[in-house]
Amino acid sequence: MNTLQCKACEAQLDDTAAYCHECGQKVKCDSCAATLPKNAKFCAQCGASTAKSELGAQSLNTVTFRKTKDETYCAVALTDEVGKIGISGIIDNLTGNRGVSGTMLPAGTIDISSTEDLENLLADKVGERQMADDPVVSVSQNSVIPDLPHIHDVERNVHCSEPEWIAIYAFYASNHGKDTFTKSEVQQIYLSKRSTQPRKKKFHDNWNSLFKHYFSTVKEGTFRLKSTKLPYLIDLISGKEKGSAKPTGRKKTTVKKAVVEPDTSEITPGSGGKTGKKKKSGGLPSVVADLNLYPKGEQSLNDFYGSFSPKSNFDKNLIFVYYLTQKLKLTPIGVDHIFTCYRQIGVALPSSIAQSIIDTSFHKSWVSSADLANIQLTTSGLNYLEQSMAKKDKA
């Protein structure tokens, strides 16, 4: 029996087939039955248009999924309207988002295997919301996005960094992430709302720092928000996530629970304003003297840290925040607590722990740094550490 290969998904077909049984792609001309090359608009034999059959194929929203011991495979065919947002949500729901990668194919199809990591699609997706009460970006004929506040209300109520503000304006300029946008469009909206001389000067730097994590290029000069970042932006706009705004330096924040170093009169963050010498600004944070990192009946920080293979300060910060909030059930925690963890483990300190926490919040969304005296673990951080962070091989 003679066979032919589908040019879209490479499935092997009987040579009498007119359509691919895997993806629905038209493989032969309606008029003369000649085999059609990939993305053909007209038949090379008789000149007949393939537009009608292409439209028919694209009008269907189909999902093909199979899972074996060695492979996870998913083919998703969507119309442009449905495929604009939430494709990665379909992937996660079907595959559990573990070791899955994808490659964009013609006619809105995604071909997924379990062998490699496709960074642009899934690297930032490791913390996708898995709790029932989290907002979900769903994919259907009518994509569902939670009711969001007007941009004027967002400007009054949300506190975040300038790069995050650029992302928020891009979100609204693109119809909640459904459409594309240009840099000039976002710049015009951003500066019309938040125009100061320093912000004008830093716009291009902030745009560049934001680009890798939040934007993808559709064509030269035209961009789209990454679907992996839409859940975080929706939570930020809705007030479920706190932005990574840097402290202004004018307002002092204190932790409610007092932690005072023994035999000193210095005030540590959270000392409740007790009298004594003030800490010199710009110096090292202080060790939290009564922070017990060898708790009875619980894994020690050293053992917990030793079970992972952290590759960056982002990873280390996440391990420390997770241990303090989830293992020790300690709240609130500040920069001094993170400093104490670094000293306990004996690894090199970041040049600025406060800035390192802020960077972890902005680049990874694993922690919330809106209040450095009350650093919090996010759902993204919890999911990443428990499911995806590299663990040390047991001897």
Side-chain angles (χ1 to χ4, degrees):
M1 180 184 294
N2 296 327
T3 62
L4 58 89
Q5 187 178 59
C6 175
K7 299 299 189 299
C9 70
E10 300 184 353
Q12 294 298 319
L13 313 173
D14 188 285
D15 64 351
T16 61
Y19 293 87
C20 174
H21 60 266
E22 288 287 344
C23 68
Q25 178 72 24
K26 183 74 174 176
V27 295
K28 288 186 179 180
C29 174
D30 287 327
S31 299
C32 68
T35 301
L36 297 172
K38 186 177 181 180
N39 297 331
K41 295 182 179 179
F42 297 91
C43 175
Q45 297 296 322
C46 68
S49 173
T50 64
K52 182 177 180 180
S53 59
E54 286 294 327
L55 180 61
Q58 290 184 8
S59 64
L60 298 175
N61 295 304
T62 61
V63 176
T64 302
F65 175 73
R66 67 172 179 267
K67 186 172 184 179
T68 65
K69 179 179 179 182
D70 302 317
E71 178 189 44
T72 299
Y73 175 87
C74 178
V76 183
L78 304 173
T79 61
D80 289 343
E81 289 75 15
V82 174
K84 283 180 179 178
I85 64 170
I87 290 177
S88 56
I90 288 181
I91 297 170
D92 287 355
N93 289 335
L94 290 173
T95 65
N97 191 29
R98 299 186 180 183
V100 184
S101 66
T103 304
M104 187 65 71
L105 298 176
T109 303
I110 293 183
D111 185 13
I112 307 165
S113 67
S114 58
T115 56
E116 299 177 0
D117 177 38
L118 184 60
E119 180 179 358
N120 285 343
L121 186 60
L122 293 176
D124 291 328
K125 196 65 175 176
V126 292
E128 177 67 18
R129 279 76 179 151
Q130 296 183 359
M131 299 177 66
D133 59 349
D134 279 345
V136 175
V137 179
S138 62
V139 179
S140 63
Q141 281 299 129
N142 297 304
S143 296
V144 178
I145 294 181
D147 290 337
L148 296 174
H150 192 278
I151 186 62
H152 293 165
D153 294 333
V154 177
E155 290 165 345
R156 283 191 290 266
N157 299 324
V158 172
H159 302 282
C160 58
S161 66
E162 293 307 313
E164 286 174 327
W165 274 117
I166 294 174
I168 287 174
Y169 286 118
F171 178 81
Y172 278 91
S174 62
N175 189 20
H176 299 173
K178 297 178 183 178
D179 303 327
T180 59
F181 55 87
T182 66
K183 181 178 179 180
S184 60
E185 288 173 346
V186 177
Q187 182 179 17
Q188 182 177 359
I189 298 172
Y190 170 77
L191 293 180
S192 70
K193 301 285 188 176
R194 301 181 64 80
S195 181
T196 64
Q197 199 59 33
R199 288 171 184 163
K200 287 181 180 179
K201 291 182 178 180
K202 292 182 178 180
F203 176 82
H204 297 291
D205 289 339
N206 287 335
W207 174 276
N208 291 334
S209 68
L210 191 72
F211 191 91
K212 178 181 177 182
H213 303 282
Y214 282 81
F215 304 151
S216 59
T217 303
V218 177
K219 61 182 179 179
E220 186 175 0
T222 303
F223 311 101
R224 185 186 301 280
L225 279 166
K226 290 184 177 181
S227 60
T228 55
K229 281 297 183 181
L230 288 178
Y232 173 72
L233 285 175
I234 290 172
D235 279 0
L236 181 62
I237 290 167
S238 302
K240 283 198 169 187
E241 290 280 7
K242 293 183 179 180
S244 56
K246 297 180 180 179
T248 62
R250 296 179 182 177
K251 182 179 179 181
K252 295 182 179 179
T253 56
T254 57
V255 182
K256 292 181 180 179
K257 294 184 179 179
V259 180
V260 183
E261 292 219 33
D263 302 325
T264 70
S265 58
E266 291 187 357
I267 298 177
T268 60
S271 62
K274 293 183 179 180
T275 58
K277 297 179 181 178
K278 293 183 180 179
K279 290 167 63 174
K280 295 181 179 179
S281 60
L284 284 173
S286 298
V287 171
V288 180
D290 62 352
L291 179 58
N292 182 10
L293 299 177
Y294 289 90
K296 184 177 180 180
E298 185 57 76
Q299 192 176 22
S300 70
L301 174 64
N302 291 67
D303 290 341
F304 183 72
Y305 181 90
S307 65
F308 296 96
S309 297
K311 295 179 173 58
S312 66
N313 286 337
F314 295 153
D315 291 350
K316 296 169 189 175
N317 291 337
L318 175 59
I319 291 173
F320 296 149
V321 173
Y322 182 97
Y323 182 82
L324 294 171
T325 60
Q326 303 302 303
K327 295 290 187 180
L328 299 188
K329 306 298 182 184
L330 184 63
T331 183
I333 62 171
V335 173
D336 285 358
H337 293 83
I338 306 302
F339 173 75
T340 305
C341 291
Y342 271 98
R343 300 297 289 172
Q344 173 65 32
I345 297 300
V347 294
L349 295 168
S351 57
S352 168
I353 291 181
Q355 184 61 51
S356 181
I357 294 295
I358 292 170
D359 291 342
T360 303
S361 174
F362 175 69
H363 290 292
K364 297 296 185 179
S365 304
W366 292 340
V367 300
S368 172
S369 63
D371 183 357
L372 287 176
N374 186 17
I375 302 166
Q376 297 181 1
L377 179 71
T378 66
T379 305
S380 297
L382 185 145
N383 287 339
Y384 179 77
L385 185 138
E386 292 183 347
Q387 300 179 18
S388 303
M389 182 176 283
K391 290 182 171 58
K392 191 170 292 184
D393 294 333
K394 295 181 179 180

